[in-house]
Structures are given as C-alpha cells and as structure tokens.
Amino acid sequence: MAETLQHWRLAVEVLLAATCLAYVAGVLWFRRGICAVQTASATLHAAPAAERPFVSIVIAARDEEESLPAMLDALEDQTYPRDRFEIIVVDDGSVDGTAAIVQERLSSATDQDDTGLQLVSVAADESTVTGGRSPGSKKIALQEGIDAAAGDII
C-alpha cells in the first residue's frame, strides 16, 4: 500500500512538473510573438511614408446614414499617412442619406484627389449581371469596391 502511494505521489509530481514546464514554454512563446509584433510595428512606423504600402479600405454600406460619419471620421484620423490609403464607400441600394454623406464630403473637399474618398454605387440593374441578386447583397458591394480599389492591401 505504501509503495502504491509513492507511485501515485511520483506520478502527480511528474504531471505537475510537466504542466509547469508547458506553462513556462507558453509564456515564452507568447512573449516572443509580442516582441515580433512590436518589432514589425516599429519597422513600419520608421519607414518613410513613400515606402509604406498603399491601402484600400472598402466599406459596403446600406442604410448607414447614422453610423457612416463617425466611421469616416475615425478612418480619416488614423496615424497611417493620409496619402497612403483610400476609402471606398460602396452604396448598396441605400434608401436613406448614405450616399449623400459621402457626396457632401467630396464636394466640401478643396482638392478631390487629396481626399482619398470614393463613392461607388451598385446600380439596380447590376443584380441581373451578378446572378439575380438584388442590391443589398454585401458580396456584390464588396466586389464592386475591390474592383475600384488601387491599394496594395485591400
């Protein structure tokens, strides 16, 4: 009986040691990943703006009149260089003022080429070309935005 108890005690100690070792290995692996992300981020931010990739942000919007202004403001306030990204809003058959919000921003800009903002509208007859889906299909809107995108990263 005492010998069986010693075997169980040894098994529990080995299991506990293995668990501790696995935990330490996981923490070290996680720390290594965090350091790699920090290094990559520092490298990206240290690169001159002209060397950073051009990014296209595609927003498929249908009836987003209430949330679109805040989203556009947040995107325009990014720390990424403004001349290195574009924002493409795809109006997907909205019945509210979604398109008007983008049009207003475009018309109030001093130089429309510098805004980096585009409006793409999915036409009602587009549905017959794309498999019979009506406007409101997120897939169609995203594809239209991707087709209009000029970025290295979309």
Side-chain angles (χ1 to χ4, degrees):
M1 176 89 160
E3 192 175 300
T4 304
L5 188 58
Q6 283 182 330
H7 287 302
W8 277 106
R9 177 180 278 172
L10 180 61
V12 168
E13 288 175 359
V14 168
L15 183 61
L16 184 60
T19 302
C20 288
L21 185 62
Y23 177 78
V24 169
V27 167
L28 292 175
W29 180 73
F30 182 75
R31 177 139 169 77
R32 180 176 174 232
I34 292 293
C35 289
V37 167
Q38 289 172 339
T39 301
S41 178
T43 302
L44 179 64
H45 288 294
E51 293 178 14
R52 295 183 185 182
F54 190 77
V55 178
S56 295
I57 302 166
V58 177
I59 303 169
R62 181 169 190 188
D63 298 332
E64 297 291 341
E65 180 179 31
E66 290 183 24
S67 61
L68 190 60
M71 181 186 300
L72 292 175
D73 289 341
L75 287 170
E76 290 172 355
D77 289 341
Q78 295 299 310
T79 58
Y80 201 73
R82 189 64 186 99
D83 63 334
R84 301 303 303 155
F85 72 94
E86 67 181 348
I87 303 168
I88 302 168
V89 178
V90 184
D91 179 27
D92 188 21
S94 296
V95 294
D96 65 358
T98 298
I101 290 168
V102 179
Q103 290 289 1
E104 181 181 317
R105 286 183 185 237
L106 287 170
S107 64
S108 67
T110 55
D111 184 3
Q112 296 209 1
D113 291 336
D114 287 343
T115 64
L117 181 63
Q118 292 182 51
L119 175 63
V120 175
S121 294
V122 176
D125 61 345
E126 188 81 26
S127 61
T128 58
V129 177
T130 54
R133 294 186 203 106
S134 62
S137 169
K138 190 74 71 173
K139 182 178 179 180
I140 295 170
L142 290 174
Q143 188 59 55
E144 291 290 322
I146 290 169
D147 291 345
D152 303 315
I153 299 172
I154 300 175

